[in-house]
Amino acid sequence: MVEHRYNTRFAAKRSARQHRMPPEAPKRQLTLMECARVVKLKTSPGCFTLEDLQEAKTTLENVDASPGGLIKTLGTLASLEIENSHLQTTQLTSTVARVAQHENVDVAQTARRLYEKWQQLLAGSDEENPIIL
């Protein structure tokens, strides 16, 4: 009989504990839009559009842009495999050349490195495809 009372008390305590705990929400799979908030990649690395290049050019031309933002934009441009036609269409080389004159040393060095990389790219393409007059 004592054992019966013990089990009843235990059952009463257990049910009281269950009432205090909030009910769990049912788990469901995330939607595509919910995943987009977690992963903030606009495009995969190396893929870009002309609009992306124009946006980067606008950022570099912005007088009020922070040095950190400029370096980030220059680093992004350096990681892309840009073709000569893209450089000529957007005129990014002249913009980067102007940024190479920036008062911040880190920004200027990063821009100079990128400008030199693009100059080698442009020079290499001229050697591969010489203009015949």
Side-chain angles (χ1 to χ4, degrees), residues 16-121:
R17 249 187 275 146
Q18 287 176 343
H19 290 298
R20 279 187 248 139
M21 294 173 52
E24 288 187 29
K27 295 186 179 189
R28 62 180 180 79
Q29 186 173 1
L30 294 175
T31 64
L32 184 60
M33 294 308 294
E34 291 170 334
C35 292
R37 286 185 225 136
V38 177
V39 180
K40 296 185 179 183
L41 292 178
K42 194 161 62 170
T43 57
S44 61
C47 297
F48 59 91
T49 62
L50 285 176
E51 288 81 22
D52 295 335
L53 297 179
Q54 289 293 345
E55 184 180 322
K57 182 178 178 181
T58 305
T59 303
L60 293 174
E61 290 173 342
N62 185 2
V63 185
D64 299 328
S66 68
L70 292 174
I71 290 174
K72 182 178 178 184
T73 303
L74 290 167
T76 302
L77 288 172
S79 68
L80 299 176
E81 294 181 19
I82 299 177
E83 296 179 4
N84 297 343
S85 60
H86 296 127
L87 292 175
Q88 292 168 353
T89 303
T90 58
Q91 298 177 345
L92 265 170
T93 47
S94 60
T95 303
V96 171
R98 280 193 300 270
V99 175
Q101 307 297 323
H102 197 273
E103 59 195 26
N104 186 308
V105 177
D106 295 332
V107 172
Q109 281 181 339
T110 308
R112 263 187 243 114
R113 273 187 256 129
L114 179 59
Y115 182 76
E116 290 168 2
K117 175 184 171 184
W118 285 350
Q119 287 300 318
Q120 290 174 357
L121 176 72

